[in-house]
Amino acid sequence: MLQLSTRPGRLYLPSLTEAPRQGRSLLSHSLPSPAASPLFHPRAPHNHTCWQKRGLQPPVAPQHPERTQKRHGGLGLPAVLASRPLHGLEHTSPYFCKSKEAEIKRINKELANIRSKFKGDKALDGYSKKKYVCKLLFIFLLGHDIDFGHMEAVNLLSSNKYTEKQIGYLFISVLVNSNSELIRLINNAIKNDLASRNPTFMCLALHCIANVGSREMGEAFAADIPRILVAGDSMDSVKQSAALCLLRLYKASPDLVPMGEWTARVVHLLNDQHMGVVTAAVSLITCLCKKNPDDFKTCISLAVSRLSRIVSSASTDLQDYTYYFVPAPWLSVKLLRLLQCYPPPEDAAVKGRLVECLETVLNKAQEPPKSKKVQHSNAKNAILFETISLIIHYDSEPNLLVRACNQLGQFLQHRETNLRYLALESMCTLASSEFSHEAVKTHIDTVINALKTERDVSVRQRAADLLYAMCDRSNAKQIVSEMLRYLETADYAIREEIVLKVAILAEKYAVDYSWYVDTILNLIRIAGDYVSEEVWYRVLQIVTNRDDVQGYAAKTVFEALQAPACHENMVKVGGYILGEFGNLIAGDPRSSPPVQFSLLHSKFHLCSVATRALLLSTYIKFINLFPETKATIQGVLRAGSQLRNADVELQQRAVEYLTLSSVASTDVLATVLEEMPPFPERESSILAKLKRKKGPGAGSALDDGRRDPSSNDINGGVEPTPSTVSTPSPSADLLGLRAAPPPAAPPASSGAGNLLVDVFSDGPAAQPSLGPTPEEAFLRFVCKNNGVLFENQLLQIGVKSEFRQNLGRMYLFYGNKTSVQFQNFSPTVVHPGDLQTHILPTKRVAAQVDGGAQVQQVLNIECLRDFLTPPLLSVRFRYGGAPQSLTLKLPVTINKFFQPTEMAAQDFFQRWKQLSLPQQEAQKIFKANHPMDAEVTKAKLLGFGSALLDNVDPNPENFVGAGIIQTKALQVGCLLRLEPNAQAQMYRLTLRTSKEPVSRHLCELLAQQF
Amino acid sequence: MIQAILVFNNHGKPRLVRFYQRFPEEIQQQIVRETFHLVLKRDDNICNFLEGGSLIGGSDYKLIYRHYATLYFVFCVDSSESELGILDLIQVFVETLDKCFENVCELDLIFHMDKVHYILQEVVMGGMVLETNMNEIVAQIEAQNRLEKSEVSVLGP
């Protein structure tokens, strides 16, 4: 227990309000106010003596003469003191450097110095080695890669001096990656120390194994450690370390840890005298019993009796393990966690004892606190929350469940934010129990209030989760309306999730569907940007399938569209619904067909290509629904801005719809443009999306390539110009909805997004390209950087490019293959995606290109964040008086910013496992398009940018790679695995990255290469 | 399990970084930066738990942190740990530092980096909690100091 009385004036509370002071005692808050200089903060006088006491030199910025003096003063002190610092470390400390450059310079100097010391002829004594190794650790801490010193550290391991051994082990556990050569040496040293029977050395060795935890170490030691753990003569500290070491090895590679007769003896460690040993053993058993519950079943009764002894003890019984008047809180929590691995005990006596324990904990929560310190209540409540978790886990004692719920209810209004947070979180699980669901519901007002007033977004998020969990038919309207209200002010990070939740609740608990339609339209109105496709698709599906709500829906969207500014998603929903069911409100003169049409058409010009495409389909449906609008609509379709629209999709729709409306008879029109058939019922796509979003806070899940460009200003104001953007067939927006393709949809536009050659009515037909089609050429560039991008009879475009980290430079060579000058030659780059490029102003391309000449253009590219759409190069020029124009995809794909990463099998699998969420993985199985040659495949994978890792995959036929995609905003780690099957001529490609769209995109790009 | 322990000052300078899951060096630095930005923008007096950054595993992991004077102590843990328990553990660690350094301050972490690591090693081992009893931890460290002293005095400086 802490003797607080001996430390007057020191509060064991995080100090919150003071400005930063580097030299300030962490636990104190009573020092004088800080100096302003960020480089050197004068310490309170007693702290100066503090330095001298320890023989430390005050850190010195050389430009302060008085401080230099103090430094000399410091040097005169005796160096040998109990806690002697390693001299010179402070010189390494760039904390005292003015700038990043100065820091790097200083560190490089220091590294060179250490390197020369290590390389020098003079053998270093142990102390110097220790000093330099420690400096290296410090430099590593500051973020500089250390590529030497490993050998010196390994040498320190075999020293028989404790301190040298200790720093050696520290260096190894912080810095060593699985360098096979060294691992053998390290393992040797560990083996010697384990066999030394010197408990201090044994502990060091066990620590090292646990900290590194690699497979090699597991293979070498997994068999020995159980023996050390249960040996009768092992010291307590060794047992403690051995238990955790074994646990770590088991977590890393469970197959290596043999179960055996030692397991029974491990369970009996729960009875050990030494609480530290018990704590370590509980952790170990909790992990082991998940795999083999039966082997460890006996632990239940032992854990219950141990817990009961702790819980019922007076706060002084356990002496050292009493923390702020709470007996052994950590161990209690661990024991309660262990019990959560099992169902309620079968033995009535054990069960009775346990229930008694749980009741005691709940009772103690009501007692007045023994201390006002936050630590006291923290420790007490840590046990309480774990107890409540156990009660919820058992879900069999209605009495305890209701008590737990009441207790949590009290916490909902506690002044400690942490407790409110945890109470909301626990209640979420409680809400799913049938015994307590009703009890949870009584707190609805408090939770709604939390959603409105909490200052901390983490807590608000928990409140939103709980509202979602406690929602049922009886309170759905209230909860949905509160969530809608919250949405207006909600943090951007969680808006999309709230939108999804509201959409799901509205659908799930809708009694009448007009409420549902209102809710979704409200969602779009309040947070249109966050309403994903799934949500508005779903409302269309439901409206299509339920004829009782169609008229209401048509009326409501018509009203919503009257708003002067309405979200584009509203236009989409409105366009679709009116196109299908506009006739249901056409009787009202206020919403007569011409009014409906002009309302929709007033939004047309402000919308994106995809929406305009959808509206064109609505128009043709209008022609069927309301023959009186035919002339007006045909006029719109016939307008030059539609028929000659630069976007092929719009152009094609306009042309085809116009023709359809003029040539087809009314009957044919009525058949083709019939109302959509009902959609087959299937799982709500929104629910699937929420599941994919793996819970709260994944606010970035919006990035699946169709982020509203205006909502993130990444392109620095460069709006994608619809005339040149090759949108991946916008008809997908319509088609995405259907189960059966709508009859009105035009045949998929041919090759939209590959090459757009504007057909100018006054120019000659575009020259066909020679050689590979532009799409093929583009694909070839995925794995290489140089080559010919495009060639036709007039023009050849060559590319040379290089990429480093998130930067790239691309040289474009335009060769005039004719003998006639090109005039007004202007190549421009547009970026529909999130990639930003700059064209160097100095290298502007001349407006004229002589016959046979070649001009060069340089593009500097910076990848700001991950992107899916490549930039487009649009080249316009006049050849012999005729305008020529072509648009190509520039070969800049996300994989260009790959940095290969080498890693060992162990690390690879660890990372692979970390990326195990379904949305992080993309997989494709496909037929080989090229002969399956291992060397070619290797070259392609290397060209793709990843490192190829040998000896990772157990099957040598397979390829495994790793790398990091560097963008300015973030880095995305990528792991890939390619499994060729020569017999079937198939490949299976699996990609895992930390970002969902990246996995899919890379997978698609790479799959096309083989 | 504890995935990482990060200590940095109010300016984001790392003062103690310990990962129990191997990350490449540059990713480690990024995690520190990302965590710093996550923690920095939070007011004091709001709750001490938040979701992990994108690099360290997102919402599967929680960051549990405490702010002491000039330093942030951040533990990144998975769901198997009790949040309040980890808060207590941070306090135990800091109080132990305070006992060992007498009025611990940021400079102690800079100049005695090795020692701070050793203290941490007595508390957390390979991502698992080894000991929570402060007296026991301090006793271990004092034993180490005695060993060190005896070695030094045998050989001289």
Side-chain angles (χ1 to χ4, degrees):
Chain A
M1 204 190 77
L2 268 173
Q3 296 287 307
L4 292 176
S5 53
T6 62
R7 300 179 170 211
R10 300 182 58 197
L11 276 187
Y12 284 86
L13 270 173
S15 174
L16 302 166
T17 47
E18 284 168 333
R21 262 174 303 157
Q22 305 262 342
R24 207 171 87 207
S25 162
L26 290 180
L27 290 168
S28 131
H29 74 167
S30 57
L31 288 177
S33 69
S37 157
L39 283 178
F40 184 80
H41 303 292
R43 294 163 56 120
H46 75 276
N47 279 350
H48 271 297
T49 57
C50 214
W51 277 333
Q52 286 158 8
K53 176 186 74 192
R54 288 181 226 145
L56 263 179
Q57 301 145 5
V60 175
Q63 62 272 39
H64 292 288
E66 8 113 48
R67 309 234 163 86
T68 321
Q69 280 166 12
K70 228 169 249 161
R71 174 185 174 177
H72 290 309
L75 277 175
L77 287 168
V80 184
L81 286 169
S83 59
R84 184 172 66 165
L86 287 162
H87 290 292
L89 198 55
E90 60 272 39
H91 298 302
T92 327
S93 167
Y95 158 59
F96 310 109
C97 287
K98 265 217 148 127
S99 64
K100 191 83 188 157
E101 290 73 41
E103 173 186 323
I104 290 172
K105 217 168 135 190
R106 197 159 184 174
I107 286 196
N108 284 338
K109 205 170 136 201
E110 189 63 40
L111 283 175
N113 174 39
I114 300 174
R115 207 186 290 263
S116 74
K117 291 277 195 246
F118 281 163
K119 288 249 165 76
D121 325 319
K122 224 173 71 185
L124 290 175
D125 60 7
Y127 174 75
S128 315
K129 266 196 224 158
K130 194 170 95 182
K131 176 172 83 182
Y132 292 126
V133 166
C134 193
K135 280 188 179 190
L136 287 181
L137 274 173
F138 188 75
I139 293 172
F140 179 74
L141 171 72
L142 294 167
H144 300 265
D145 207 2
I146 302 295
D147 54 3
F148 67 100
H150 299 72
M151 204 53 221
E152 283 72 17
V154 172
N155 285 339
L156 284 174
L157 296 186
S158 46
S159 160
N160 52 9
K161 277 215 235 77
Y162 174 71
T163 47
E164 290 170 17
K165 208 184 257 301
Q166 194 185 23
I167 190 103
Y169 273 125
L170 177 60
F171 184 92
I172 304 288
S173 13
V174 173
L175 259 166
V176 153
N177 20 29
S178 327
N179 180 330
S180 59
E181 193 64 13
L182 282 180
I183 285 286
R184 244 191 349 192
L185 293 171
I186 296 167
N187 279 358
N188 241 337
I190 292 177
K191 190 160 267 164
N192 290 336
D193 281 334
L194 283 183
S196 70
R197 310 193 67 76
N198 173 340
T200 335
F201 287 3
M202 284 172 89
C203 281
L204 280 180
L206 289 169
H207 273 278
C208 182
I209 302 173
N211 287 330
V212 176
S214 70
R215 195 165 171 91
E216 290 91 336
M217 284 199 176
E219 278 164 359
F221 302 110
D224 297 339
I225 294 170
R227 202 174 35 72
I228 298 175
L229 174 60
V230 297
D233 57 348
S234 289
M235 301 250 305
D236 288 338
S237 59
V238 175
K239 272 194 212 164
Q240 228 171 322
S241 302
L244 293 185
C245 183
L246 192 59
L247 168 54
R248 179 63 201 266
L249 290 182
Y250 181 80
K251 279 192 173 173
S253 11
D255 53 309
L256 290 179
V257 178
M259 294 295 141
E261 50 93 36
W262 60 273
T263 47
R265 300 177 62 182
V266 166
V267 173
H268 281 278
L269 288 179
L270 292 181
N271 272 336
D272 202 282
Q273 292 286 319
H274 190 277
M275 297 278 268
V277 174
V278 183
T279 311
V282 175
S283 300
L284 176 62
I285 296 169
T286 307
C287 185
L288 293 177
C289 76
K290 284 189 181 131
K291 260 280 181 51
N292 324 285
D294 288 338
D295 292 4
F296 294 91
K297 227 174 169 174
T298 44
C299 75
I300 302 176
S301 62
L302 290 177
V304 170
S305 69
R306 188 94 215 186
L307 182 69
S308 139
R309 266 179 283 157
I310 298 172
V311 168
S312 55
S313 70
S315 61
T316 47
D317 284 2
L318 295 160
Q319 294 187 358
D320 282 356
Y321 282 87
T322 298
Y323 174 84
Y324 288 92
F325 305 101
V326 182
W330 185 269
L331 180 54
S332 312
V333 165
K334 286 277 161 193
L335 287 168
L336 288 161
R337 281 266 158 142
L338 171 60
L339 291 171
Q340 285 173 55
C341 299
Y342 286 96
E346 286 150 17
D347 184 325
V350 176
K351 188 169 182 188
R353 202 163 176 199
L354 178 57
V355 168
E356 208 173 287
C357 278
L358 301 179
E359 276 170 347
T360 315
V361 174
L362 289 173
N363 291 341
K364 275 195 180 170
Q366 301 301 330
E367 287 171 13
K370 293 201 177 69
S371 154
K372 287 212 171 70
K373 292 267 182 295
V374 65
Q375 276 72 26
H376 172 68
S377 81
N378 269 356
K380 207 165 127 183
N381 292 325
I383 302 175
L384 181 57
F385 274 107
E386 221 48 68
T387 304
I388 292 174
S389 297
L390 184 63
I391 294 172
I392 298 173
H393 168 76
Y394 286 163
D395 197 16
S396 59
E397 303 277 330
N399 180 24
L400 287 176
L401 277 166
V402 171
R403 278 193 74 181
C405 185
N406 292 340
Q407 181 64 54
L408 291 178
Q410 286 180 22
F411 281 149
L412 285 182
Q413 293 173 335
H414 202 279
R415 58 186 176 79
E416 273 282 319
T417 318
N418 288 339
L419 296 183
R420 295 196 301 271
Y421 174 96
L422 293 173
L424 289 166
E425 197 178 52
S426 297
M427 256 200 191
C428 246
T429 41
L430 203 54
S432 55
S433 159
E434 56 170 317
F435 296 116
S436 49
H437 184 81
E438 286 304 314
V440 171
K441 271 168 63 185
T442 57
H443 298 287
I444 184 166
D445 293 330
T446 320
V447 182
I448 286 173
N449 196 37
L451 189 64
K452 286 181 183 159
T453 57
E454 279 291 348
R455 281 171 57 215
D456 185 353
V457 55
S458 312
V459 185
R460 288 197 297 272
Q461 180 131 26
R462 294 289 152 265
D465 286 349
L466 179 54
L467 281 181
Y468 179 74
M470 67 161 69
C471 190
D472 63 16
R473 210 166 281 279
S474 71
N475 54 18
K477 281 203 174 167
Q478 185 188 7
I479 286 179
V480 164
S481 77
E482 288 299 340
M483 280 178 136
L484 275 175
R485 195 168 309 151
Y486 172 60
L487 194 54
E488 296 186 32
T489 53
D491 312 73
Y492 295 107
I494 60 173
R495 280 195 182 183
E496 199 201 2
E497 197 191 322
I498 302 259
V499 166
L500 289 176
K501 286 188 164 153
V502 168
I504 290 169
L505 292 179
E507 182 186 336
K508 195 168 170 192
Y509 298 115
V511 187
D512 65 305
Y513 279 87
S514 51
W515 174 70
Y516 170 75
V517 170
D518 283 342
T519 305
I520 301 295
L521 293 185
N522 266 330
L523 271 185
I524 297 177
R525 203 175 295 139
I526 295 167
D529 284 345
Y530 297 89
V531 174
S532 58
E533 276 176 357
E534 285 87 348
V535 173
W536 67 263
Y537 283 3
R538 188 70 188 156
V539 71
L540 296 184
Q541 286 180 8
I542 286 177
V543 170
T544 308
N545 289 6
R546 311 203 138 253
D547 38 21
D548 52 334
V549 75
Q550 288 162 355
Y552 180 80
K555 182 164 159 284
T556 321
V557 289
F558 179 78
E559 277 159 12
L561 284 173
Q562 313 251 323
C566 62
H567 195 272
E568 191 163 335
N569 280 337
M570 188 70 90
V571 179
K572 288 178 182 164
V573 174
Y576 189 94
I577 290 184
L578 291 181
E580 294 291 324
F581 312 112
N583 54 331
L584 299 176
I585 56 169
D588 189 328
R590 284 167 300 176
S591 53
S592 67
V595 178
Q596 285 186 37
F597 173 74
S598 57
L599 179 63
L600 282 177
H601 199 56
S602 68
K603 317 278 180 197
F604 185 87
H605 301 281
L606 299 171
C607 291
S608 69
V609 171
T611 310
R612 279 192 271 165
L614 187 150
L615 285 179
L616 289 181
S617 297
T618 303
Y619 296 168
I620 186 73
K621 289 214 155 196
F622 271 10
I623 292 185
N624 175 44
L625 286 179
F626 317 120
E628 66 266 40
T629 59
K630 183 169 174 177
T632 326
I633 289 174
Q634 280 183 334
V636 168
L637 293 175
R638 202 177 287 124
S641 58
Q642 310 302 342
L643 276 189
R644 284 180 220 144
N645 198 306
D647 184 87
V648 277
E649 181 66 34
L650 290 181
Q651 194 186 93
Q652 189 164 5
R653 285 195 188 206
V655 171
E656 288 178 6
Y657 290 164
L658 181 60
T659 319
L660 180 70
S661 69
S662 355
V663 299
S665 69
T666 333
D667 287 349
V668 173
L669 265 188
T671 320
V672 172
L673 301 172
E674 202 181 18
E675 191 180 301
M676 292 284 286
F679 293 87
E681 277 307 329
R682 49 188 165 182
E683 189 196 21
S684 159
S685 52
I686 314 176
L687 206 57
K689 172 147 183 158
L690 188 70
K691 280 183 198 152
R692 262 187 283 132
K693 268 175 70 77
K694 61 149 185 177
S700 58
L702 196 62
D703 307 76
D704 31 5
R706 54 190 157 63
R707 214 184 246 276
D708 186 346
S710 56
S711 70
N712 65 345
D713 203 10
I714 298 215
N715 275 341
V718 187
E719 286 280 300
T721 23
S723 55
T724 46
V725 177
S726 65
T727 334
S729 173
S731 62
D733 283 323
L734 261 187
L735 299 179
L737 274 174
R738 76 266 167 297
S749 62
S750 55
N754 299 351
L755 168 69
L756 303 175
V757 182
D758 286 2
V759 188
F760 283 81
S761 49
D762 57 344
Q767 300 291 334
S769 67
L770 303 172
T773 69
E775 184 63 18
E776 282 166 14
F778 173 77
L779 283 177
R780 278 187 200 174
F781 276 93
V782 170
C783 291
K784 64 174 189 174
N785 287 333
N786 308 323
V788 174
L789 178 66
F790 174 81
E791 184 163 17
N792 67 9
Q793 280 153 7
L794 307 177
L795 176 72
Q796 185 193 48
I797 304 177
V799 174
K800 256 177 98 168
S801 54
E802 47 188 341
F803 295 88
R804 248 187 104 232
Q805 301 205 318
N806 70 327
L807 301 176
R809 176 165 298 171
M810 177 173 281
Y811 300 87
L812 293 167
F813 302 93
Y814 303 94
N816 183 345
K817 291 172 67 181
T818 69
S819 50
V820 183
Q821 194 187 49
F822 291 164
Q823 277 152 349
N824 300 343
F825 189 80
S826 89
T828 49
V829 177
V830 288
H831 352 269
D834 283 334
L835 182 84
Q836 191 174 40
T837 58
H838 305 285
I839 300 173
L840 272 191
T842 48
K843 303 265 179 170
R844 269 214 79 86
V845 184
Q848 275 77 38
V849 185
D850 289 329
Q854 189 184 57
V855 291
Q856 182 191 336
Q857 185 185 25
V858 186
L859 306 178
N860 277 349
I861 300 163
E862 184 179 10
C863 180
L864 296 180
R865 50 173 303 129
D866 53 312
F867 64 100
L868 306 179
T869 334
L872 298 175
L873 172 69
S874 131
V875 184
R876 288 166 194 279
F877 58 93
R878 289 181 88 84
Y879 166 65
Q884 302 284 335
S885 141
L886 60 99
T887 305
L888 298 165
K889 287 193 206 169
L890 267 187
V892 182
T893 42
I894 183 80
N895 65 298
K896 299 290 181 197
F897 305 97
F898 238 121
Q899 294 279 106
T901 317
E902 291 292 345
M903 55 177 84
Q906 154 85 14
D907 297 326
F908 182 87
F909 285 115
Q910 209 164 51
R911 308 234 44 185
W912 184 263
K913 262 185 259 156
Q914 281 165 15
L915 297 171
S916 59
L917 295 165
Q919 70 268 27
Q920 291 173 326
E921 184 185 273
Q923 191 173 68
K924 227 175 167 150
I925 300 172
F926 53 94
K927 257 204 136 38
N929 282 326
H930 303 279
M932 297 176 84
D933 181 331
E935 286 311 308
V936 176
T937 309
K938 249 185 208 168
K940 278 184 177 165
L941 284 174
L942 288 172
F944 191 66
S946 71
L948 269 184
L949 306 177
D950 290 326
N951 304 326
V952 170
D953 203 300
N955 179 352
E957 302 294 319
N958 294 348
F959 300 92
V960 168
I964 298 166
I965 288 183
Q966 307 270 355
T967 74
K968 194 176 175 204
L970 77 174
Q971 299 192 325
V972 184
C974 307
L975 303 174
L976 69 88
R977 184 179 194 208
L978 179 72
E979 300 157 87
N981 180 342
Q983 224 165 16
Q985 287 289 303
M986 300 275 281
Y987 286 103
R988 178 162 70 186
L989 174 66
T990 315
L991 265 132
R992 286 191 178 183
T993 76
S994 43
K995 251 186 136 214
E996 170 193 14
V998 177
S999 303
R1000 264 188 284 122
H1001 186 57
L1002 285 177
C1003 189
E1004 266 154 35
L1005 278 178
L1006 192 54
Q1008 292 164 345
Q1009 299 300 316
F1010 298 102
Chain B
M1 184 178 155
I2 300 169
Q3 172 108 336
I5 292 172
L6 314 173
V7 179
F8 41 75
N9 69 9
N10 292 345
H11 306 289
K13 277 259 180 228
R15 289 300 176 229
L16 172 69
V17 172
R18 196 70 207 256
F19 282 88
Y20 296 103
Q21 197 80 257
R22 200 155 288 287
F23 287 100
E25 181 259 320
E26 66 271 28
I27 304 278
Q28 292 192 8
Q29 288 297 321
Q30 272 185 340
I31 290 174
V32 173
R33 275 197 298 276
E34 191 187 31
T35 311
F36 171 64
H37 288 295
L38 282 174
V39 172
L40 182 73
K41 66 178 181 208
R42 293 173 63 80
D43 295 356
D44 289 322
N45 279 332
I46 60 178
C47 84
N48 300 69
F49 322 125
L50 69 159
E51 260 161 34
S54 58
L55 291 165
I56 206 156
S59 54
D60 295 346
Y61 288 90
K62 275 204 175 119
L63 299 176
I64 295 173
Y65 74 98
R66 255 182 130 152
H67 189 189
Y68 293 89
T70 65
L71 292 179
Y72 285 95
F73 285 72
V74 186
F75 281 40
C76 174
V77 302
D78 64 14
S79 59
S80 70
E81 302 289 351
S82 145
E83 289 92 344
L84 291 173
I86 294 289
L87 268 189
D88 287 343
L89 191 70
I90 298 179
Q91 178 74 12
V92 166
F93 179 45
V94 175
E95 282 186 31
T96 312
L97 287 177
D98 197 55
K99 276 196 178 169
C100 295
F101 290 114
E102 298 164 40
N103 259 325
V104 66
C105 67
E106 186 177 343
L107 289 170
D108 293 313
L109 270 69
I110 299 172
F111 293 137
H112 297 280
M113 197 193 53
D114 48 343
K115 197 126 279 176
V116 173
H117 267 290
Y118 301 147
I119 295 171
L120 180 62
Q121 267 181 11
E122 295 301 325
V123 182
V124 178
M125 166 174 170
M128 268 85 55
V129 177
L130 180 66
E131 186 56 74
T132 53
N133 172 358
M134 212 179 316
N135 294 343
E136 180 88 27
I137 302 166
V138 173
Q140 290 286 350
I141 297 296
E142 276 166 359
Q144 283 180 20
N145 288 342
R146 277 195 301 278
L147 261 175
E148 181 179 351
K149 212 167 169 182
S150 69
E151 283 172 2
V152 168
S153 55
V154 170
L155 287 148

